[in-house]
Amino acid sequence: MIARYTLPEMGRIWTEQARYEAWLKVELAACRAWHKLGRIPADALKEIEQKAAFEVSRVEEIENQTKHDVIAFLTNVNEHVGPAGRFIHMGLTSSDVLDTAYALLLKDSAELILAALDRMLNALKKRAFEHKRTIMIGRSHGIHAEPVTFGLKLAGFYAEFLRDKTRIINAKKAVCRGKISGAVGTYAHLPPVLEEMVMAELGLDPAPASTQVVARDGYAEWFCTLAILGGSIERLAVELRHLQRTEVLEAEEAFTAGQKGSSAMPHKRNPISSENLTGQARLLRAYALAALENMPLWHERDISHSSVERTIGPDADIIAHYSLHRLAGIMENLVVYPENMLRNLNLTCGLIHSQRVMLALTEKGMSREDAYRLVQKNAMATWQEGGNFQERLCQEPEVRAALGGEPQKALDAMCDPFSHLANLDYVFAKVFGDQDKE
């Protein structure tokens, strides 16, 4: 399912071809640094740069014998380079290449995820302003609470995804670290300046102190951040799933020509994309746990982390990227039903204004306990017997006495749903900035 929707540029990052290309990029950067430090002759460097190459199939063939991926890779590269190949990997250990190259792959993935986040943010902002004053009921526990607007709801999601963007940017910094410090991080066979030169060329930061590997806390931060992003994606997906329920039907995923909802029931229009995204978020959380468990390695390193990262690296980054684009597509094409929102708003015959009435009674001098008792009594009667909440209140002697001369007029003002939204502009200004206008 994921492969079907993966955008080509993200899928390309996590191929075997791209992985070995990243390894070769690290090795060549190290050769260039050694040349500047006088250890590799100019003619040897030229030969390395011109001839260095590999074939995935050949690397795999050699690895079947050596049982060591980096040695297999270097053997294949040296088959192309010839005698000058003796300078490749000089003073390095496998993890110098693996961890630094992995950082390059995560860096490229982060840039694509940030671009997908921008698409998501643009979609949310556009629809939020489009429906800034599209009134609907707000719900707590799934039960009608007080009026909101669909635009206000989306503004909240926009603010959350904006925080996700900040988290992704910070987590990207955490994983954009490499090392060229040798077998146990002591620089015993290469100078520290070589590491600085390689990282500068690759656009990475050198790890402040490494063992044989870069410490895994940065990777844990990255995958946990993707899990948080998945939580934001799922929160919006679950919201849309609820809004599409038949008895609610305030918004629904676009249903395209020729689409089918059920093999048995031709009438079905299901929120399949939102349900898919809910499932993908579960995987992102699982990968975060795996990344956390990768942090404690034995002494200077073991390789218990390696097989985990080969799985969660491509899977988590592809899923996050895919999920953002799929959710952005849902929002760009979401079908909204303002008339159903208004219908549902009025289902409880005015009960949603109970707090406003209670507060008004307290402002008139009634104790909060008495105001709550009166309002709840009439609310429960409306739940159980039907009728109109506002009319019941107007017939309540204590309410009439508290509100004074024109209780009906006062209640009409309290029960205007738009009276709940006086600070809508304030929230939009906080979320989108004062410069953003409708």
PDB file of all heavy atoms in Angstrom, residues 376-400:
ATOM      1  N   GLN A 376     -29.788  23.728  34.777  1.00  0.00           N
ATOM      2  CA  GLN A 376     -29.725  22.277  34.574  1.00  0.00           C
ATOM      3  C   GLN A 376     -31.114  21.653  34.638  1.00  0.00           C
ATOM      4  O   GLN A 376     -31.428  20.726  33.880  1.00  0.00           O
ATOM      5  CB  GLN A 376     -28.803  21.635  35.615  1.00  0.00           C
ATOM      6  CG  GLN A 376     -28.574  20.141  35.320  1.00  0.00           C
ATOM      7  CD  GLN A 376     -27.724  19.459  36.358  1.00  0.00           C
ATOM      8  OE1 GLN A 376     -27.956  19.632  37.559  1.00  0.00           O
ATOM      9  NE2 GLN A 376     -26.749  18.683  35.913  1.00  0.00           N
ATOM     10  N   LYS A 377     -31.946  22.118  35.543  1.00  0.00           N
ATOM     11  CA  LYS A 377     -33.307  21.571  35.649  1.00  0.00           C
ATOM     12  C   LYS A 377     -34.047  21.689  34.325  1.00  0.00           C
ATOM     13  O   LYS A 377     -34.679  20.725  33.840  1.00  0.00           O
ATOM     14  CB  LYS A 377     -34.086  22.307  36.739  1.00  0.00           C
ATOM     15  CG  LYS A 377     -35.511  21.789  36.927  1.00  0.00           C
ATOM     16  CD  LYS A 377     -36.277  22.601  37.952  1.00  0.00           C
ATOM     17  CE  LYS A 377     -36.781  23.905  37.364  1.00  0.00           C
ATOM     18  NZ  LYS A 377     -37.733  24.620  38.241  1.00  0.00           N
ATOM     19  N   ASN A 378     -33.953  22.851  33.690  1.00  0.00           N
ATOM     20  CA  ASN A 378     -34.645  23.060  32.424  1.00  0.00           C
ATOM     21  C   ASN A 378     -33.938  22.336  31.273  1.00  0.00           C
ATOM     22  O   ASN A 378     -34.587  21.896  30.319  1.00  0.00           O
ATOM     23  CB  ASN A 378     -34.759  24.556  32.132  1.00  0.00           C
ATOM     24  CG  ASN A 378     -35.811  25.228  32.994  1.00  0.00           C
ATOM     25  OD1 ASN A 378     -36.993  25.200  32.680  1.00  0.00           O
ATOM     26  ND2 ASN A 378     -35.380  25.814  34.110  1.00  0.00           N
ATOM     27  N   ALA A 379     -32.625  22.209  31.376  1.00  0.00           N
ATOM     28  CA  ALA A 379     -31.900  21.462  30.354  1.00  0.00           C
ATOM     29  C   ALA A 379     -32.292  19.991  30.388  1.00  0.00           C
ATOM     30  O   ALA A 379     -32.532  19.363  29.339  1.00  0.00           O
ATOM     31  CB  ALA A 379     -30.396  21.626  30.559  1.00  0.00           C
ATOM     32  N   MET A 380     -32.370  19.396  31.602  1.00  0.00           N
ATOM     33  CA  MET A 380     -32.731  17.984  31.712  1.00  0.00           C
ATOM     34  C   MET A 380     -34.167  17.753  31.248  1.00  0.00           C
ATOM     35  O   MET A 380     -34.469  16.729  30.626  1.00  0.00           O
ATOM     36  CB  MET A 380     -32.560  17.505  33.153  1.00  0.00           C
ATOM     37  CG  MET A 380     -31.107  17.500  33.650  1.00  0.00           C
ATOM     38  SD  MET A 380     -29.966  16.540  32.625  1.00  0.00           S
ATOM     39  CE  MET A 380     -29.071  17.845  31.763  1.00  0.00           C
ATOM     40  N   ALA A 381     -35.038  18.686  31.512  1.00  0.00           N
ATOM     41  CA  ALA A 381     -36.421  18.556  31.044  1.00  0.00           C
ATOM     42  C   ALA A 381     -36.480  18.592  29.520  1.00  0.00           C
ATOM     43  O   ALA A 381     -37.263  17.855  28.894  1.00  0.00           O
ATOM     44  CB  ALA A 381     -37.280  19.677  31.635  1.00  0.00           C
ATOM     45  N   THR A 382     -35.655  19.441  28.927  1.00  0.00           N
ATOM     46  CA  THR A 382     -35.607  19.502  27.455  1.00  0.00           C
ATOM     47  C   THR A 382     -35.060  18.201  26.890  1.00  0.00           C
ATOM     48  O   THR A 382     -35.562  17.690  25.874  1.00  0.00           O
ATOM     49  CB  THR A 382     -34.741  20.689  27.003  1.00  0.00           C
ATOM     50  OG1 THR A 382     -35.258  21.893  27.579  1.00  0.00           O
ATOM     51  CG2 THR A 382     -34.728  20.813  25.483  1.00  0.00           C
ATOM     52  N   TRP A 383     -33.989  17.638  27.514  1.00  0.00           N
ATOM     53  CA  TRP A 383     -33.456  16.343  27.071  1.00  0.00           C
ATOM     54  C   TRP A 383     -34.551  15.265  27.105  1.00  0.00           C
ATOM     55  O   TRP A 383     -34.704  14.485  26.165  1.00  0.00           O
ATOM     56  CB  TRP A 383     -32.329  15.896  28.004  1.00  0.00           C
ATOM     57  CG  TRP A 383     -30.942  16.399  27.701  1.00  0.00           C
ATOM     58  CD1 TRP A 383     -30.179  17.192  28.503  1.00  0.00           C
ATOM     59  CD2 TRP A 383     -30.134  16.127  26.546  1.00  0.00           C
ATOM     60  NE1 TRP A 383     -28.952  17.440  27.921  1.00  0.00           N
ATOM     61  CE2 TRP A 383     -28.903  16.787  26.713  1.00  0.00           C
ATOM     62  CE3 TRP A 383     -30.349  15.383  25.388  1.00  0.00           C
ATOM     63  CZ2 TRP A 383     -27.875  16.741  25.783  1.00  0.00           C
ATOM     64  CZ3 TRP A 383     -29.335  15.315  24.446  1.00  0.00           C
ATOM     65  CH2 TRP A 383     -28.110  16.000  24.640  1.00  0.00           C
ATOM     66  N   GLN A 384     -35.291  15.236  28.199  1.00  0.00           N
ATOM     67  CA  GLN A 384     -36.194  14.111  28.440  1.00  0.00           C
ATOM     68  C   GLN A 384     -37.568  14.274  27.789  1.00  0.00           C
ATOM     69  O   GLN A 384     -38.191  13.294  27.369  1.00  0.00           O
ATOM     70  CB  GLN A 384     -36.359  13.916  29.950  1.00  0.00           C
ATOM     71  CG  GLN A 384     -35.061  13.464  30.627  1.00  0.00           C
ATOM     72  CD  GLN A 384     -35.055  13.723  32.124  1.00  0.00           C
ATOM     73  OE1 GLN A 384     -36.078  14.092  32.707  1.00  0.00           O
ATOM     74  NE2 GLN A 384     -33.888  13.546  32.742  1.00  0.00           N
ATOM     75  N   GLU A 385     -38.036  15.510  27.687  1.00  0.00           N
ATOM     76  CA  GLU A 385     -39.397  15.733  27.223  1.00  0.00           C
ATOM     77  C   GLU A 385     -39.481  16.449  25.886  1.00  0.00           C
ATOM     78  O   GLU A 385     -40.566  16.573  25.307  1.00  0.00           O
ATOM     79  CB  GLU A 385     -40.155  16.555  28.277  1.00  0.00           C
ATOM     80  CG  GLU A 385     -40.210  15.884  29.642  1.00  0.00           C
ATOM     81  CD  GLU A 385     -40.719  16.822  30.717  1.00  0.00           C
ATOM     82  OE1 GLU A 385     -41.337  17.851  30.364  1.00  0.00           O
ATOM     83  OE2 GLU A 385     -40.480  16.536  31.909  1.00  0.00           O
ATOM     84  N   GLY A 386     -38.341  16.935  25.408  1.00  0.00           N
ATOM     85  CA  GLY A 386     -38.355  17.696  24.163  1.00  0.00           C
ATOM     86  C   GLY A 386     -38.730  19.137  24.410  1.00  0.00           C
ATOM     87  O   GLY A 386     -38.704  19.637  25.537  1.00  0.00           O
ATOM     88  N   GLY A 387     -39.106  19.823  23.357  1.00  0.00           N
ATOM     89  CA  GLY A 387     -39.430  21.230  23.472  1.00  0.00           C
ATOM     90  C   GLY A 387     -38.199  22.095  23.283  1.00  0.00           C
ATOM     91  O   GLY A 387     -37.117  21.613  22.931  1.00  0.00           O
ATOM     92  N   ASN A 388     -38.371  23.385  23.543  1.00  0.00           N
ATOM     93  CA  ASN A 388     -37.313  24.359  23.303  1.00  0.00           C
ATOM     94  C   ASN A 388     -36.756  24.858  24.633  1.00  0.00           C
ATOM     95  O   ASN A 388     -37.498  25.304  25.508  1.00  0.00           O
ATOM     96  CB  ASN A 388     -37.871  25.531  22.483  1.00  0.00           C
ATOM     97  CG  ASN A 388     -36.796  26.526  22.111  1.00  0.00           C
ATOM     98  OD1 ASN A 388     -36.427  27.373  22.913  1.00  0.00           O
ATOM     99  ND2 ASN A 388     -36.295  26.411  20.888  1.00  0.00           N
ATOM    100  N   PHE A 389     -35.431  24.763  24.765  1.00  0.00           N
ATOM    101  CA  PHE A 389     -34.756  25.151  26.011  1.00  0.00           C
ATOM    102  C   PHE A 389     -35.005  26.615  26.340  1.00  0.00           C
ATOM    103  O   PHE A 389     -35.298  26.981  27.480  1.00  0.00           O
ATOM    104  CB  PHE A 389     -33.268  24.859  25.856  1.00  0.00           C
ATOM    105  CG  PHE A 389     -32.426  25.229  27.028  1.00  0.00           C
ATOM    106  CD1 PHE A 389     -32.668  24.693  28.286  1.00  0.00           C
ATOM    107  CD2 PHE A 389     -31.355  26.108  26.883  1.00  0.00           C
ATOM    108  CE1 PHE A 389     -31.877  25.016  29.384  1.00  0.00           C
ATOM    109  CE2 PHE A 389     -30.551  26.435  27.966  1.00  0.00           C
ATOM    110  CZ  PHE A 389     -30.822  25.894  29.220  1.00  0.00           C
ATOM    111  N   GLN A 390     -34.923  27.463  25.351  1.00  0.00           N
ATOM    112  CA  GLN A 390     -35.073  28.894  25.559  1.00  0.00           C
ATOM    113  C   GLN A 390     -36.488  29.218  26.050  1.00  0.00           C
ATOM    114  O   GLN A 390     -36.680  30.039  26.956  1.00  0.00           O
ATOM    115  CB  GLN A 390     -34.776  29.630  24.253  1.00  0.00           C
ATOM    116  CG  GLN A 390     -34.787  31.133  24.348  1.00  0.00           C
ATOM    117  CD  GLN A 390     -34.426  31.769  23.011  1.00  0.00           C
ATOM    118  OE1 GLN A 390     -33.830  31.130  22.152  1.00  0.00           O
ATOM    119  NE2 GLN A 390     -34.801  33.020  22.841  1.00  0.00           N
ATOM    120  N   GLU A 391     -37.481  28.551  25.465  1.00  0.00           N
ATOM    121  CA  GLU A 391     -38.867  28.800  25.871  1.00  0.00           C
ATOM    122  C   GLU A 391     -39.113  28.325  27.304  1.00  0.00           C
ATOM    123  O   GLU A 391     -39.836  28.972  28.072  1.00  0.00           O
ATOM    124  CB  GLU A 391     -39.820  28.100  24.906  1.00  0.00           C
ATOM    125  CG  GLU A 391     -39.825  28.713  23.513  1.00  0.00           C
ATOM    126  CD  GLU A 391     -40.676  27.932  22.539  1.00  0.00           C
ATOM    127  OE1 GLU A 391     -41.278  26.912  22.961  1.00  0.00           O
ATOM    128  OE2 GLU A 391     -40.741  28.331  21.355  1.00  0.00           O
ATOM    129  N   ARG A 392     -38.524  27.192  27.660  1.00  0.00           N
ATOM    130  CA  ARG A 392     -38.665  26.704  29.035  1.00  0.00           C
ATOM    131  C   ARG A 392     -38.098  27.716  30.039  1.00  0.00           C
ATOM    132  O   ARG A 392     -38.689  27.989  31.083  1.00  0.00           O
ATOM    133  CB  ARG A 392     -37.934  25.366  29.203  1.00  0.00           C
ATOM    134  CG  ARG A 392     -38.650  24.186  28.600  1.00  0.00           C
ATOM    135  CD  ARG A 392     -37.874  22.891  28.880  1.00  0.00           C
ATOM    136  NE  ARG A 392     -38.534  21.766  28.267  1.00  0.00           N
ATOM    137  CZ  ARG A 392     -39.556  21.105  28.791  1.00  0.00           C
ATOM    138  NH1 ARG A 392     -40.029  21.497  29.967  1.00  0.00           N
ATOM    139  NH2 ARG A 392     -40.098  20.089  28.167  1.00  0.00           N
ATOM    140  N   LEU A 393     -36.920  28.222  29.707  1.00  0.00           N
ATOM    141  CA  LEU A 393     -36.284  29.187  30.599  1.00  0.00           C
ATOM    142  C   LEU A 393     -37.144  30.433  30.764  1.00  0.00           C
ATOM    143  O   LEU A 393     -37.250  30.994  31.865  1.00  0.00           O
ATOM    144  CB  LEU A 393     -34.901  29.566  30.059  1.00  0.00           C
ATOM    145  CG  LEU A 393     -33.808  28.503  30.172  1.00  0.00           C
ATOM    146  CD1 LEU A 393     -32.590  28.920  29.358  1.00  0.00           C
ATOM    147  CD2 LEU A 393     -33.422  28.283  31.637  1.00  0.00           C
ATOM    148  N   CYS A 394     -37.739  30.862  29.671  1.00  0.00           N
ATOM    149  CA  CYS A 394     -38.542  32.087  29.712  1.00  0.00           C
ATOM    150  C   CYS A 394     -39.786  31.914  30.589  1.00  0.00           C
ATOM    151  O   CYS A 394     -40.331  32.890  31.107  1.00  0.00           O
ATOM    152  CB  CYS A 394     -38.940  32.491  28.290  1.00  0.00           C
ATOM    153  SG  CYS A 394     -39.445  34.223  28.156  1.00  0.00           S
ATOM    154  N   GLN A 395     -40.214  30.668  30.760  1.00  0.00           N
ATOM    155  CA  GLN A 395     -41.389  30.404  31.599  1.00  0.00           C
ATOM    156  C   GLN A 395     -41.017  30.142  33.057  1.00  0.00           C
ATOM    157  O   GLN A 395     -41.903  30.001  33.907  1.00  0.00           O
ATOM    158  CB  GLN A 395     -42.154  29.193  31.036  1.00  0.00           C
ATOM    159  CG  GLN A 395     -42.755  29.441  29.664  1.00  0.00           C
ATOM    160  CD  GLN A 395     -43.224  28.162  28.988  1.00  0.00           C
ATOM    161  OE1 GLN A 395     -43.277  27.112  29.612  1.00  0.00           O
ATOM    162  NE2 GLN A 395     -43.555  28.256  27.705  1.00  0.00           N
ATOM    163  N   GLU A 396     -39.721  30.096  33.347  1.00  0.00           N
ATOM    164  CA  GLU A 396     -39.253  29.820  34.705  1.00  0.00           C
ATOM    165  C   GLU A 396     -39.322  31.117  35.532  1.00  0.00           C
ATOM    166  O   GLU A 396     -38.647  32.105  35.214  1.00  0.00           O
ATOM    167  CB  GLU A 396     -37.809  29.323  34.647  1.00  0.00           C
ATOM    168  CG  GLU A 396     -37.205  28.995  35.981  1.00  0.00           C
ATOM    169  CD  GLU A 396     -37.815  27.756  36.601  1.00  0.00           C
ATOM    170  OE1 GLU A 396     -37.838  26.688  35.941  1.00  0.00           O
ATOM    171  OE2 GLU A 396     -38.275  27.869  37.754  1.00  0.00           O
ATOM    172  N   PRO A 397     -40.150  31.151  36.582  1.00  0.00           N
ATOM    173  CA  PRO A 397     -40.330  32.393  37.350  1.00  0.00           C
ATOM    174  C   PRO A 397     -39.028  32.991  37.879  1.00  0.00           C
ATOM    175  O   PRO A 397     -38.816  34.203  37.800  1.00  0.00           O
ATOM    176  CB  PRO A 397     -41.246  31.954  38.507  1.00  0.00           C
ATOM    177  CG  PRO A 397     -41.989  30.773  37.963  1.00  0.00           C
ATOM    178  CD  PRO A 397     -41.028  30.062  37.074  1.00  0.00           C
ATOM    179  N   GLU A 398     -38.135  32.152  38.410  1.00  0.00           N
ATOM    180  CA  GLU A 398     -36.893  32.684  38.970  1.00  0.00           C
ATOM    181  C   GLU A 398     -36.006  33.288  37.883  1.00  0.00           C
ATOM    182  O   GLU A 398     -35.304  34.279  38.116  1.00  0.00           O
ATOM    183  CB  GLU A 398     -36.126  31.574  39.699  1.00  0.00           C
ATOM    184  CG  GLU A 398     -36.786  31.101  40.976  1.00  0.00           C
ATOM    185  CD  GLU A 398     -35.990  30.019  41.667  1.00  0.00           C
ATOM    186  OE1 GLU A 398     -34.985  30.359  42.346  1.00  0.00           O
ATOM    187  OE2 GLU A 398     -36.337  28.838  41.503  1.00  0.00           O
ATOM    188  N   VAL A 399     -36.052  32.717  36.683  1.00  0.00           N
ATOM    189  CA  VAL A 399     -35.265  33.254  35.568  1.00  0.00           C
ATOM    190  C   VAL A 399     -35.836  34.597  35.143  1.00  0.00           C
ATOM    191  O   VAL A 399     -35.108  35.569  34.929  1.00  0.00           O
ATOM    192  CB  VAL A 399     -35.228  32.259  34.387  1.00  0.00           C
ATOM    193  CG1 VAL A 399     -34.584  32.894  33.156  1.00  0.00           C
ATOM    194  CG2 VAL A 399     -34.494  30.986  34.785  1.00  0.00           C
ATOM    195  N   ARG A 400     -37.176  34.642  35.020  1.00  0.00           N
ATOM    196  CA  ARG A 400     -37.824  35.890  34.608  1.00  0.00           C
ATOM    197  C   ARG A 400     -37.546  37.001  35.616  1.00  0.00           C
ATOM    198  O   ARG A 400     -37.247  38.134  35.239  1.00  0.00           O
ATOM    199  CB  ARG A 400     -39.337  35.675  34.476  1.00  0.00           C
ATOM    200  CG  ARG A 400     -39.722  34.710  33.372  1.00  0.00           C
ATOM    201  CD  ARG A 400     -41.251  34.561  33.304  1.00  0.00           C
ATOM    202  NE  ARG A 400     -41.879  35.800  32.914  1.00  0.00           N
ATOM    203  CZ  ARG A 400     -42.085  36.183  31.647  1.00  0.00           C
ATOM    204  NH1 ARG A 400     -41.690  35.394  30.657  1.00  0.00           N
ATOM    205  NH2 ARG A 400     -42.670  37.319  31.379  1.00  0.00           N
TER     206      ARG A 400
END
